Amino acid sequence: MNNSISKKVEEILSKMSLKDKIGQLSLGTFSFKKIDEAKEYIKKAHPGALIITTSAHAGNDVQENVALSTLNEIQKFAIKEMGIPLIFGRDVIHGHNIVSPIPLAMAASFNTDLIKRSYSNIKLEAMNDGIHWAFTPMLDVSRDPRWGRVIESPGEDPYVGERFATAVVEGIQGDDLSKQKNLIACAKHYIAYGLSEGGRDYHKAEVSDYNLRNHYLRPFKAAVKAGVKTVMSSFNEVSGQPVTSSKYLLTDVLKDELQFGGFIVSDYSAVRQLKDQGVAEDDEDSARLAINAGLDMDMHDRCYIETIEKLIESGEVSEETLNESVRRILTVKMEKGLFENPYCYGGEYDQEAHLKDAEDMATESIVLLKNDNNLLPLDKSAHISLVGPYATEKRSLLGSWCLDGKTDDMETLLDVM
């Protein structure tokens, strides 16, 4: 850590109340339809960050358009109330206004230079809307086609995952995170999430330490080496222990062994889910297990905000444990330059160049399995029948987990043919 940043963090930390510290550990949800509610939440909870989403299923639900002026208004209110800027996060997975192929297809291109450039384009568009934090790259080694989130991953090969991780982190974060054009990247879902038994999401995974380290950990190790500032823990349990409450996986392996210096955020309501996984009795117990395991920020469910003060009073969580998580979060905010430049004023980007890179990525990611009958390329004089529900569909062509793609700018398959 930069000594100057470290000193500034300690100065801020020394002046924070217990409420201020606990609030920094919260990632609340934000809707543009509920601005007054968001301000009341900021006033009451002093959160560290807001995720711009209307549901846990943002990848497939229709989401609100991002309004930069409103985010600046919320930031101004937060700084007045807390003295500390918010981080605005968004699921920016494989495109923003201009959409690239899904990550599984991008990885299949084996073109890491183009992947890096594509994510550099993506971040410029997201930054233009006031986003600081993109919940990408998704690095789950995925080998069961029944698992519904395979499309978000770089696939089944750890080496491809490593290369993809490095390219995306470098593309998103750039060479100087404090520049407005660069975003905070988030490596997810740590770890073995793609190994969920039977391909059932949120399910348990059985994995030996050997396989964990030689297959599933490798892309995350590459992301840490590339300087990723945040990591998202996974919902699943690994060999009987939910990752959200695993000190071995979060602290011993990720923070100590891999020397990850950023902060760990939970997935959506994953702390509260510890009750459903049978290891916690209530929200308070869930928070105790998670923060003592090394989970720094709680997404959405407010378990930390509502219970950590009581846990500190009872001695079940030490104030130094709390301080360490706050320290990590403030450090990332400092590195992003949010204390000096908390507001975003947008910027211009070359739309035609972004479109060209997206087209090149689509071309390189196509996998032709067999062409024995020379079906391709299509004969322009041939008669072709186009059938099925996707002939005139637009939204589906953007792929899953695309929140901000513009269907008005798209052509259907029927239009093109």
Side-chain angles (χ1 to χ4, degrees):
M1 186 197 303
N2 181 295
N3 287 334
S4 174
I5 288 178
S6 179
K7 185 178 179 181
K8 289 177 183 176
V9 167
E10 293 304 323
E11 286 175 1
I12 294 170
L13 191 61
S14 68
K15 297 173 184 176
M16 293 173 73
S17 67
L18 187 60
K19 174 186 175 179
D20 292 332
K21 292 177 183 179
I22 294 170
Q24 285 300 300
L25 274 55
S26 176
L27 172 56
T29 49
F30 172 71
S31 168
F32 288 97
K33 295 177 181 177
K34 300 176 180 179
I35 295 172
D36 290 340
E37 186 178 302
K39 288 182 177 179
E40 188 60 33
Y41 172 59
I42 291 167
K43 195 171 184 177
K44 180 181 178 182
H46 288 193
L50 294 176
I51 177 173
I52 305 165
T53 183
T54 57
S55 74
H57 310 101
N60 296 293
D61 292 346
V62 176
Q63 296 290 305
E64 301 169 335
N65 291 328
V66 182
L68 173 59
S69 59
T70 303
L71 293 183
N72 281 337
E73 176 190 339
I74 294 295
Q75 186 74 289
K76 184 177 181 179
F77 182 84
I79 292 171
K80 181 181 177 182
E81 287 294 323
M82 308 186 299
I84 297 174
L86 292 162
I87 303 174
F88 293 122
R90 180 81 160 170
D91 282 300
V92 183
I93 308 301
H94 58 100
H96 192 64
N97 298 143
I98 295 168
V99 181
S100 292
I102 57 173
L104 185 65
M106 295 175 81
S109 72
F110 301 105
N111 188 334
T112 51
D113 290 337
L114 185 55
I115 291 171
K116 179 178 176 178
R117 191 161 73 247
S118 295
Y119 277 93
S120 183
N121 296 343
I122 289 166
K123 77 171 176 208
L124 289 177
E125 296 174 21
M127 174 279 297
N128 205 52
D129 278 343
I131 308 302
H132 305 132
W133 188 13
F135 296 111
T136 193
M138 196 270 231
L139 300 176
D140 298 302
V141 175
S142 308
R143 294 174 173 172
D144 189 336
R146 295 174 296 181
W147 190 50
R149 303 191 72 166
V150 168
I151 65 103
E152 299 170 57
S153 82
E156 64 185 358
D157 186 86
Y159 176 70
V160 174
E162 288 174 329
R163 298 293 302 279
F164 182 81
T166 302
V168 176
V169 171
E170 290 179 351
I172 290 286
Q173 293 190 171
D175 57 0
D176 182 354
L177 187 60
S178 66
K179 292 179 180 177
Q180 182 177 263
K181 68 178 183 179
N182 294 324
L183 305 188
I184 302 163
C186 183
K188 64 181 189 182
H189 309 82
Y190 178 85
I191 189 172
Y193 189 38
L195 192 60
S196 296
E197 189 175 274
R200 289 174 286 179
D201 204 16
Y202 290 32
H203 205 27
K204 65 186 178 74
E206 295 292 336
V207 56
S208 68
D209 210 48
Y210 175 88
N211 275 328
L212 189 82
R213 291 171 179 279
N214 285 284
H215 296 95
Y216 300 97
L217 188 63
R218 282 172 55 185
F220 290 95
K221 186 176 181 180
V224 171
K225 187 176 180 181
V228 72
K229 295 301 177 184
T230 65
V231 170
M232 185 185 293
S233 63
S234 56
F235 286 115
N236 60 293
E237 57 187 67
V238 174
S239 302
Q241 177 68 51
V243 176
T244 308
S245 61
S246 174
K247 183 177 181 296
Y248 170 67
L249 292 172
L250 299 183
T251 297
D252 298 349
V253 176
L254 182 57
K255 289 182 175 180
D256 294 344
E257 185 179 325
L258 299 189
Q259 293 292 292
F260 170 62
F263 69 83
I264 305 173
V265 61
S266 78
D267 209 331
Y268 202 97
S269 288
V271 175
R272 180 165 285 160
Q273 184 181 287
L274 290 173
K275 295 184 295 183
D276 299 328
Q277 291 174 302
V279 298
E281 294 181 1
D282 51 28
D283 286 355
E284 185 178 322
D285 202 26
S286 296
R288 176 185 65 82
L289 289 169
I291 193 168
N292 284 334
L295 186 84
D296 302 303
M297 185 177 278
D298 174 20
M299 185 192 293
H300 177 65
D301 59 31
R302 305 190 184 184
C303 286
Y304 278 12
I305 277 182
E306 294 171 1
T307 69
I308 284 183
E309 184 173 359
K310 185 177 177 182
L311 288 165
I312 288 175
E313 289 173 355
S314 68
E316 293 177 272
V317 172
S318 71
E319 190 156 1
E320 181 48 40
T321 296
L322 171 63
N323 287 345
E324 177 57 22
S325 289
V326 177
R327 194 175 282 122
R328 286 173 174 270
I329 292 163
L330 292 178
T331 297
V332 172
K333 290 186 177 188
M334 284 279 184
E335 291 172 333
K336 180 66 189 82
L338 290 176
F339 283 88
E340 291 79 17
N341 300 295
Y343 307 110
C344 182
Y345 301 102
E348 296 182 356
Y349 59 86
D350 190 335
Q351 182 170 321
E352 289 303 315
H354 289 196
L355 283 167
K356 177 64 168 58
D357 285 338
E359 182 180 11
D360 289 347
M361 179 54 73
T363 301
E364 294 208 21
S365 66
I366 292 170
V367 178
L368 179 62
L369 298 180
K370 245 180 180 183
N371 195 30
D372 289 348
N373 298 318
N374 295 316
L375 178 65
L376 297 179
L378 293 173
D379 184 347
K380 290 185 179 181
S381 65
H383 292 282
I384 299 167
S385 177
L386 179 63
V387 295
Y390 294 104
T392 57
E393 166 69 7
K394 288 186 176 181
R395 173 62 186 85
S396 297
L397 299 182
L398 294 173
S400 184
W401 285 99
C402 179
L403 280 59
D404 298 286
K406 307 297 184 186
T407 54
D408 291 344
D409 299 333
M410 296 176 63
E411 294 179 293
T412 67
L413 291 172
L414 180 60
D415 292 333
V416 175
M417 290 189 69

PDB file of all heavy atoms in Angstrom, residues 120 141 177 185 226 256 268 275 344:
ATOM      1  N   SER A 120     -11.691  -2.071 -21.818  1.00  0.00           N
ATOM      2  CA  SER A 120     -11.314  -0.663 -21.711  1.00  0.00           C
ATOM      3  C   SER A 120     -12.407   0.211 -22.316  1.00  0.00           C
ATOM      4  O   SER A 120     -12.734   1.285 -21.784  1.00  0.00           O
ATOM      5  CB  SER A 120      -9.978  -0.427 -22.424  1.00  0.00           C
ATOM      6  OG  SER A 120      -9.560   0.907 -22.268  1.00  0.00           O
ATOM      7  N   VAL A 141     -14.291 -21.304 -12.962  1.00  0.00           N
ATOM      8  CA  VAL A 141     -14.019 -22.417 -13.878  1.00  0.00           C
ATOM      9  C   VAL A 141     -15.285 -23.265 -13.933  1.00  0.00           C
ATOM     10  O   VAL A 141     -15.766 -23.750 -12.905  1.00  0.00           O
ATOM     11  CB  VAL A 141     -12.817 -23.246 -13.390  1.00  0.00           C
ATOM     12  CG1 VAL A 141     -12.625 -24.472 -14.273  1.00  0.00           C
ATOM     13  CG2 VAL A 141     -11.553 -22.395 -13.376  1.00  0.00           C
ATOM     14  N   LEU A 177      -5.662   3.757 -11.330  1.00  0.00           N
ATOM     15  CA  LEU A 177      -7.067   3.664 -10.925  1.00  0.00           C
ATOM     16  C   LEU A 177      -7.667   5.012 -10.568  1.00  0.00           C
ATOM     17  O   LEU A 177      -8.877   5.211 -10.691  1.00  0.00           O
ATOM     18  CB  LEU A 177      -7.192   2.704  -9.736  1.00  0.00           C
ATOM     19  CG  LEU A 177      -8.601   2.339  -9.277  1.00  0.00           C
ATOM     20  CD1 LEU A 177      -9.385   1.654 -10.396  1.00  0.00           C
ATOM     21  CD2 LEU A 177      -8.557   1.459  -8.044  1.00  0.00           C
ATOM     22  N   ALA A 185     -12.419  -3.045 -10.577  1.00  0.00           N
ATOM     23  CA  ALA A 185     -12.864  -4.362 -11.034  1.00  0.00           C
ATOM     24  C   ALA A 185     -13.197  -5.239  -9.829  1.00  0.00           C
ATOM     25  O   ALA A 185     -12.780  -4.965  -8.704  1.00  0.00           O
ATOM     26  CB  ALA A 185     -11.783  -5.018 -11.892  1.00  0.00           C
ATOM     27  N   ALA A 226      -2.772  -9.205 -11.095  1.00  0.00           N
ATOM     28  CA  ALA A 226      -3.017  -8.074 -12.001  1.00  0.00           C
ATOM     29  C   ALA A 226      -3.465  -6.824 -11.251  1.00  0.00           C
ATOM     30  O   ALA A 226      -3.618  -5.761 -11.851  1.00  0.00           O
ATOM     31  CB  ALA A 226      -4.060  -8.458 -13.044  1.00  0.00           C
ATOM     32  N   ASP A 256      -4.032 -13.704   3.068  1.00  0.00           N
ATOM     33  CA  ASP A 256      -2.674 -13.947   3.577  1.00  0.00           C
ATOM     34  C   ASP A 256      -1.771 -14.614   2.541  1.00  0.00           C
ATOM     35  O   ASP A 256      -0.680 -14.122   2.242  1.00  0.00           O
ATOM     36  CB  ASP A 256      -2.739 -14.810   4.848  1.00  0.00           C
ATOM     37  CG  ASP A 256      -3.410 -14.079   6.005  1.00  0.00           C
ATOM     38  OD1 ASP A 256      -3.536 -12.845   5.928  1.00  0.00           O
ATOM     39  OD2 ASP A 256      -3.813 -14.751   6.970  1.00  0.00           O
ATOM     40  N   TYR A 268     -25.198 -11.020  -3.299  1.00  0.00           N
ATOM     41  CA  TYR A 268     -26.474 -10.443  -2.887  1.00  0.00           C
ATOM     42  C   TYR A 268     -27.138 -11.257  -1.762  1.00  0.00           C
ATOM     43  O   TYR A 268     -27.532 -12.404  -1.958  1.00  0.00           O
ATOM     44  CB  TYR A 268     -27.398 -10.394  -4.106  1.00  0.00           C
ATOM     45  CG  TYR A 268     -28.529  -9.410  -4.054  1.00  0.00           C
ATOM     46  CD1 TYR A 268     -28.410  -8.154  -4.647  1.00  0.00           C
ATOM     47  CD2 TYR A 268     -29.739  -9.740  -3.456  1.00  0.00           C
ATOM     48  CE1 TYR A 268     -29.471  -7.253  -4.643  1.00  0.00           C
ATOM     49  CE2 TYR A 268     -30.799  -8.841  -3.445  1.00  0.00           C
ATOM     50  CZ  TYR A 268     -30.658  -7.606  -4.035  1.00  0.00           C
ATOM     51  OH  TYR A 268     -31.711  -6.718  -4.030  1.00  0.00           O
ATOM     52  N   LYS A 275     -27.968 -18.612   7.342  1.00  0.00           N
ATOM     53  CA  LYS A 275     -29.021 -19.287   8.118  1.00  0.00           C
ATOM     54  C   LYS A 275     -29.586 -20.461   7.327  1.00  0.00           C
ATOM     55  O   LYS A 275     -29.761 -21.559   7.873  1.00  0.00           O
ATOM     56  CB  LYS A 275     -30.152 -18.308   8.461  1.00  0.00           C
ATOM     57  CG  LYS A 275     -29.747 -17.173   9.392  1.00  0.00           C
ATOM     58  CD  LYS A 275     -30.931 -16.302   9.759  1.00  0.00           C
ATOM     59  CE  LYS A 275     -31.492 -15.583   8.551  1.00  0.00           C
ATOM     60  NZ  LYS A 275     -32.611 -14.666   8.909  1.00  0.00           N
ATOM     61  N   CYS A 344     -18.691  12.681 -10.949  1.00  0.00           N
ATOM     62  CA  CYS A 344     -18.353  12.302 -12.319  1.00  0.00           C
ATOM     63  C   CYS A 344     -19.013  13.279 -13.283  1.00  0.00           C
ATOM     64  O   CYS A 344     -20.179  13.641 -13.106  1.00  0.00           O
ATOM     65  CB  CYS A 344     -18.836  10.875 -12.606  1.00  0.00           C
ATOM     66  SG  CYS A 344     -18.420  10.302 -14.256  1.00  0.00           S
TER      67      CYS A 344
END
